[in-house]
Amino acid sequence: MKPYTTMINTETGFLERAQNHLERKLSSMKGQYLDTETYEVLLKNEDSLVYEVYENIEMPKKPGELYHGSSIVHPGKVGAEYFMTKGHFHQVLETAEVYYCLHGNGYMMMETPEGEWAAEELTLGIVLYVPPCWAHRSINVGGSDLVTFFVYPGDAGHDYGTIEVKGFRKLLVEKGGKPTVIDNPRWVGK
Ligand code: S6P
Ligand code: ZN
């Protein structure tokens, strides 16, 4: 690899030179939202675009490399729960990640296998450090796109299965007009 520069549009999250553009729609979020009835109704009406990721993936997947890209979570809700990413642990659990918020308002919901959790606010200029072993999910609580830039080790990989099966311990829902953390009644685990 040769050194390179690239450009991010801080409003739209569009990343030049990205080899990967992922679009996740409502249909791929099955089982993730608490209000399953509303989820089905919304899905029947339209398979809305929930979030997008642009990523540079041309480097080898090995330690020493730094994968990076942008994540765009669009505004919206399923019932009282905000549009969010699926969320994941890294496959190599002991790998960290840094996020830098470029646009919008949101939260990063995080938890460890041992049961610790944290919800950190994301607004323009916030740098968030996700330590090794913490699952992470971006949540858009605002009326415009939530755009972040992320960097993580090349060998980290993604474990989506654990969250797909167990869910996050905590959810972020709108209560009285405000983002509020609640226990996930459907969380499966010990
Ligand atoms: C990768 C990093 C982000 C997410 C992106 C989408 O380690 O955390 O690129 O992939 O925010 O979220 P998810 O949970 O669908 O991968
Ligand atoms: Zn990650």
Side-chain angles (χ1 to χ4, degrees), residues 88-90 95-97 99 130 134-136 150 152 156-158 160:
H88 58 266
F89 286 96
H90 289 160
T95 50
E97 185 158 347
Y99 278 82
V130 181
W134 284 74
H136 39 288
F150 58 81
Y152 65 98
H158 294 90
Y160 290 104

Side-chain angles (χ1 to χ4, degrees), residues 25 27 41 43 58 63 67 89 116 128 131 146 153 159 166 172:
K25 294 188 171 180
S27 53
V41 171
L43 189 57
E58 64 195 300
Y67 271 55
F89 286 96
E116 276 184 282
L128 167 70
L146 174 68
D159 162 19
K166 294 171 99 170
L172 197 65

Side-chain angles (χ1 to χ4, degrees), residues 9 113 115:
N9 181 315

Side-chain angles (χ1 to χ4, degrees), residues 81-95:
E81 208 175 352
Y82 304 97
F83 273 15
M84 60 193 184
T85 60
K86 283 174 85 108
H88 58 266
F89 286 96
H90 289 160
Q91 212 168 348
V92 178
L93 199 56
E94 301 80 13
T95 50

